[in-house]
Amino acid sequence: MAKGSQLSQLKSALAQAGINRSNDKKKKSTPLTEHAKVKKAAKLREIQQKLNPFDVKVTKLKHDVGGRRIKGMTGRPAQSKQAGMQQREKSLLKEIEQRGRVGGVVDRRFGENDPLMSLEERMLERFTRERQRASKASSLSKMDDFDDFLMPVDEDGDEEGQLDHDTVKKVHFGGFSDDEEKSKDEPERKKSKAEVMAEVIAKSKAHKMHRQMEKEQEENMRHELDQDFDSLRTLLYAPDPSSIDHDTFDAAKPTLPESANDEDAMDYDKQVRELAFDKRAKPKDRTKTEEELALEQKEALEKAEKERRMRMLGEDPGEHDDENGDRRKKRARGGDDLDDDFIDADSVAGIGPGLGVELNSDVSRSDDGEDGSDEDSEEHSAEETDLEGFEEDSHSSDMSDAEEEDGTSMKAKQMAQRSSKTLKVAKELPYTFPGPDSHDEFLEIVEGLPDSDVLTVVQRIRTLYHHSLGPENKLKLQDLARVLVDHVLYLASLPTPRMELVSALVPHLFALCRSYPVESAEYFVAKLSLMHKNLKRGLENGALEPDARTWPGLSELTFLRMIGTIWPTSDMRHPVVSPARLLMGAYLGLCRVRSFGDVMSGLFLSSLFLQYESLSKRFVPEAINFVTNATLHLAPHRFASAESLPGTFMCPDLRSVLCESLAIDKTKAKGLEFGKLKLLQMTSANPSEQSKIDALGLALGLLERFADMYKSLDGFVELYDPINSLLSGLECGQLSNVVQSRVASLQDKITRLLKFARQSRKPLLLQAHKPIPIPTYIPKFETNSSSYLRRQDPDRERNEASKLRYQLKQERKGAIRELRKDAKFLAAVEHKKQVEKDRVYKERMNKVFSSLEGERAEQKAMERENAREKRRAGRK
């Protein structure tokens, strides 16, 4: 290509290609052919490409191999970019512009949107309209052609009875040629309009016949059901077995309508009309919520309490309801009535109100003190006071002696019955109670009540003060939880503890603590703090002093047992159980044994530890140590002092003066066997030999259960090997065979567990790791691999998976690239739209500003003209 400017290069290129016609002006121009036009366009494109060398991008090969063509060596990014833009304008831009556009095809066929027309009616109506349209378009001379629309007509002859050409060819001996076989291979010819409509009509008739057959079958089935309706009707008229007794079933059974004619009884329509007069079934009650149930229970208790008070006052609740309902209709006769024979039905003649009024007024006052003012009691007391005044006046009235005696005797009987009924009902348990704020108030409520009634009182208080019935009821229930804790401690501290009632109150306390855990936990922790202070005070007075209260009593033990029942004991840290566990460990580790009661308290605490740690299996050395010491205190053994004991067990009270009375006497306990400890035996100052034997059995059982729980510990051998030696040092030869067998079986079990624990132990080893190979410096050659065959794996499946991963990676890259290009294109389109909007807005604003400027210029010109006129006028 020649050097110079772009214009000179273009001219020289056009001249070399023979396209420039500046030299052939004198020649006559001839039109170009299509082939010449294509060649000319190709030459122009080639010249254009050569003029812009930067439009071609060439990838330099690292290793040029002759004769090898690699796809993608040369590229034209400008052309590819332009092609991509054009393609996106045709596809993506159209989709964006038509986004949100709603369009569709409206079906305007006759009867298509009419649900009342069947398919046959639609097809028939369409066919009729098509015939009408065809008849209008055709001439009148061709109307006769539709007479034989469905009949084949022979085109060769008009003689009657002559067969057409196709029938002769196919049915008769028409030549036995291979035309039929050839026609099978040929495509099926297109049906005419008459054949199509005939086929449609035939199908519609077949469908109509099928529907008629189905309708007949349904009618037959319905007729059979009508015939068997009597058997169903007996079931419909059957009464509810739950609401009618078996004895009265025959009398209450509804009779079927009788008729003289059997055909009338079998009439289906008549029976259906009779069913319309039957009573409709009532809907069942829906499932009520917890708040609705609580409100319903509260209302029931209040209603029952109201009826109880009325019965206590000698009134009939039913009569009281009737009087309240008819209060406006009927007025009681008063003393101001002028009838001479006036006698009030509620008066007691000459006897006066007496004890009945006093009893009723006292009861009403007590009820008012419990539940506030009661309207019924106030009305009753008002009536009684009116009667008193009336009785005083009635003594001075002029009445005959006979009438006075009859009225007196009748009213005396009524008052006697009323007073007996009142005294009988007065012992009935109330249904409503005030919410106790302290334990003293609760004791006043349950004073003199049996245990079953105490549970009823607690349940009714929880029902009356349900948290959903009022915001202040939460505080009431929280106070009730504290009161129940105090009441449990009170019941356990009595001379004869009521443990059955304690066990029955624990579920109520559990429910309250679950509803209000924070407040209940604070109160439990306060009680534990008080117990810890008592322990510190007892230890300061002296651990071996007889009067020092170091070990917990029965109420404290009951409280600790209740904590393990109410709160979860398997948590790592718990606001209630963790302090309780520390306090129990302090009891077992710091307190000294002085009496049999101390031993029983320690064994009870050890059993509580066993209950607490049954799931978490935490190791409690204080419990193991105390159970071992209790065994040594109770059972006869050969150890003289604490120094001779195997292991590292601390036993400071072994063979001490205070503990000498705890040992079992071999001569007195010869024939005694293990039994179950009773509650009173724990606090007895002078225990019997049977109590000691029972305590020894409890200690041996605890050692066995602790062994089962701690057998998976790593230090089980070091823990129970000294205990096994202690058991072998017991001298139980003079005791009963049951005691000897129990000790021997426990020793055998611990020996087996120790054996298994030793077998499970393995010596320590270094950390196992993969052996380190010896390094080699021999080069590794690959004979079947090359740089351009890097994905040729000998494993075929692995090779295919590698190829698929590579293709997925390439496709992902391509998809991301295309998405970025689409986003860039859409951004450019939006930018163009925004620029166009800004241009239009700017033009509109310029027009507005130009108009405003013109108006302002005119206004200023007018102002100047007015000022000029004023100046001229001033001069004149």
Side-chain angles (χ1 to χ4, degrees), residues 452-589:
S452 59
D453 291 345
V454 172
L455 299 178
T456 305
V457 168
V458 174
Q459 181 62 38
R460 289 179 180 177
I461 291 175
R462 289 181 58 193
T463 303
L464 289 170
Y465 298 99
H466 195 268
H467 63 85
S468 63
L469 301 179
E472 68 280 355
N473 290 348
K474 292 184 179 180
L475 301 177
K476 290 285 185 181
L477 293 179
Q478 293 172 12
D479 294 338
L480 180 62
R482 301 186 186 96
V483 167
L484 289 182
V485 172
D486 294 337
H487 193 63
V488 167
L489 296 176
Y490 168 76
L491 294 176
S493 62
L494 294 175
T496 55
R498 300 161 65 181
M499 302 308 295
E500 295 182 357
L501 181 57
V502 170
S503 301
L505 288 176
V506 167
H508 295 281
L509 190 57
F510 177 79
L512 292 173
C513 292
R514 186 174 59 180
S515 301
Y516 309 101
V518 178
E519 294 79 6
S520 303
E522 292 177 356
Y523 197 69
F524 273 87
V525 172
K527 290 292 182 182
L528 292 173
S529 302
L530 181 60
M531 293 170 62
H532 187 257
K533 290 180 181 178
N534 294 335
L535 174 62
K536 290 174 62 178
R537 190 181 298 109
L539 293 176
E540 290 174 356
N541 295 333
L544 293 176
E545 293 294 330
D547 298 335
R549 297 188 59 182
T550 55
W551 289 95
L554 185 58
S555 58
E556 289 84 355
L557 294 176
T558 305
F559 180 71
L560 294 173
R561 175 73 174 84
M562 186 171 58
I563 288 176
T565 305
I566 294 175
W567 303 101
T569 58
S570 60
D571 296 352
M572 178 64 72
R573 288 176 294 274
H574 193 271
V576 178
V577 179
S578 297
R581 192 185 294 115
L582 292 176
L583 180 62
M584 291 162 58
Y587 279 133
L588 294 176

Side-chain angles (χ1 to χ4, degrees), residues 345-518:
D346 294 335
S347 64
V348 288
I351 299 177
L355 181 62
V357 175
E358 293 178 0
L359 181 60
N360 294 337
S361 60
D362 294 338
V363 173
S364 63
R365 291 191 212 102
S366 62
D367 291 340
D368 293 338
E370 290 180 0
D371 284 338
S373 60
D374 191 349
E375 297 178 0
D376 297 334
S377 59
E378 290 176 0
E379 292 176 1
H380 184 77
S381 60
E383 291 176 2
E384 294 293 340
T385 53
D386 293 341
L387 289 178
E388 279 190 40
F390 176 70
E391 287 297 331
E392 293 176 358
D393 297 335
S394 63
H395 285 296
S396 61
S397 61
D398 296 334
M399 297 174 58
S400 62
D401 296 337
E403 292 177 354
E404 186 176 357
E405 290 177 0
D406 294 340
T408 302
S409 60
M410 181 179 62
K411 295 305 174 183
K413 291 180 180 180
Q414 291 180 359
M415 285 302 301
Q417 295 177 0
R418 187 172 179 178
S419 60
S420 62
K421 185 178 179 181
T422 302
L423 293 174
K424 190 182 297 183
V425 178
K427 298 180 181 180
E428 188 177 356
L429 184 67
Y431 291 92
T432 58
F433 301 92
D437 296 332
S438 62
H439 185 231
D440 296 334
E441 295 181 5
F442 185 75
L443 287 178
E444 292 178 1
I445 294 174
V446 301
E447 185 179 1
L449 295 179
D451 294 348
S452 59
D453 291 345
V454 172
L455 299 178
T456 305
V457 168
V458 174
Q459 181 62 38
R460 289 179 180 177
I461 291 175
R462 289 181 58 193
T463 303
L464 289 170
Y465 298 99
H466 195 268
H467 63 85
S468 63
L469 301 179
E472 68 280 355
N473 290 348
K474 292 184 179 180
L475 301 177
K476 290 285 185 181
L477 293 179
Q478 293 172 12
D479 294 338
L480 180 62
R482 301 186 186 96
V483 167
L484 289 182
V485 172
D486 294 337
H487 193 63
V488 167
L489 296 176
Y490 168 76
L491 294 176
S493 62
L494 294 175
T496 55
R498 300 161 65 181
M499 302 308 295
E500 295 182 357
L501 181 57
V502 170
S503 301
L505 288 176
V506 167
H508 295 281
L509 190 57
F510 177 79
L512 292 173
C513 292
R514 186 174 59 180
S515 301
Y516 309 101
V518 178

Side-chain angles (χ1 to χ4, degrees), residues 4 60 129 182 184 243 307 372 485 524 595 704 806 810:
K60 186 179 179 181
R129 297 205 173 192
K182 293 180 181 179
K184 292 180 180 179
S243 61
E307 294 178 354
V485 172
F524 273 87
S595 61
E704 183 178 3
Y806 178 74
Q810 296 299 323

Side-chain angles (χ1 to χ4, degrees), residues 192-215:
S192 62
K193 193 172 184 179
E195 293 175 350
V196 172
M197 296 309 300
E199 186 176 355
V200 169
I201 293 174
K203 287 182 179 180
S204 64
K205 289 183 178 180
H207 183 66
K208 187 175 182 180
M209 185 178 298
H210 182 67
R211 290 187 60 185
Q212 288 180 355
M213 292 176 62
E214 290 182 352
K215 187 175 181 181

Side-chain angles (χ1 to χ4, degrees), residues 217-234:
Q217 292 177 0
E218 292 177 358
E219 290 290 340
N220 295 334
M221 188 180 299
R222 192 178 297 109
H223 182 67
E224 293 177 0
L225 289 176
D226 293 345
Q227 297 294 330
D228 300 337
F229 182 71
D230 287 339
S231 59
L232 298 176
R233 192 162 181 262
T234 55

